[in-house]
Amino acid sequence: MQIRVRGRRLEFLRSEYLPGKKRSTQKLLGSMDAYGYATVIPQALREKMTEEEIAQVEAYFQKEREDREARSVRYALTSAGASLREMARAIEEQEVIAPEKAAEVYAGLDQVAKALRKKGFARAKIRAEQKGP
């Protein structure tokens, strides 16, 4: 079984060897939305597949989930500083912020600080000229 991304679709192809032609041909079993984060094979498509092919597709979905999670973690790490600055700007512009939201922000900042300390990153010293008025 071959799983191919074509445009916004996932295509499922089965290769079959034809002894008369002495070559393989591919048969399209079906397709589904590639970017809907689908993790379930549609029933109509499942009925056309063998158990081995279903296992291959489920393994593909599992690998895609793991890759998506890894990309999400990398993005969170690389964009954390910008996100925090944007959050600070949003808080400054708000007239009122709910106490529950403020508590959530402080709890999140505490978790980040703890994780950084565990990884050996000491808090940077802020110079007097950077502190501002």
Side-chain angles (χ1 to χ4, degrees):
M1 157 136 318
Q2 180 183 1
I3 302 170
R4 179 171 57 193
V5 178
R6 182 171 278 187
R8 294 188 55 87
R9 305 289 297 169
L10 276 179
E11 293 182 344
F12 302 96
L13 302 146
R14 178 186 292 153
S15 294
E16 296 175 337
Y17 179 73
L18 301 175
K21 291 185 177 183
K22 295 184 181 178
R23 64 185 174 115
S24 292
T25 60
Q26 288 184 328
K27 178 182 178 186
L28 178 66
L29 297 177
S31 65
M32 62 186 286
D33 184 26
Y35 296 106
Y37 299 109
T39 57
V40 178
I41 305 167
Q43 188 59 34
L45 185 57
R46 183 180 283 272
E47 291 170 358
K48 297 177 185 177
M49 294 180 178
T50 64
E51 291 299 319
E52 183 180 310
E53 291 169 338
I54 291 171
Q56 288 175 348
V57 173
E58 289 173 347
Y60 174 83
F61 287 155
Q62 179 63 31
K63 183 181 178 305
E64 286 298 308
R65 277 191 298 275
E66 291 167 1
D67 290 349
R68 189 171 43 251
E69 179 64 27
R71 283 190 304 272
S72 176
V73 167
R74 280 194 308 270
Y75 177 76
L77 289 173
T78 58
S79 66
S83 295
L84 288 171
R85 284 188 295 278
E86 187 176 329
M87 183 188 313
R89 185 180 55 78
I91 290 170
E92 289 170 356
E93 291 177 1
Q94 291 288 324
E95 291 181 20
V96 178
I97 184 169
E100 306 86 41
K101 291 297 177 187
E104 285 180 33
V105 170
Y106 276 123
L109 290 172
D110 289 342
Q111 288 176 338
V112 170
K114 183 178 179 180
L116 286 170
R117 280 192 306 273
K118 280 185 174 182
K119 288 293 184 176
F121 295 100
R123 184 177 179 95
K125 301 291 181 203
I126 300 174
R127 294 188 213 146
E129 63 268 12
Q130 289 179 336
K131 286 185 180 179

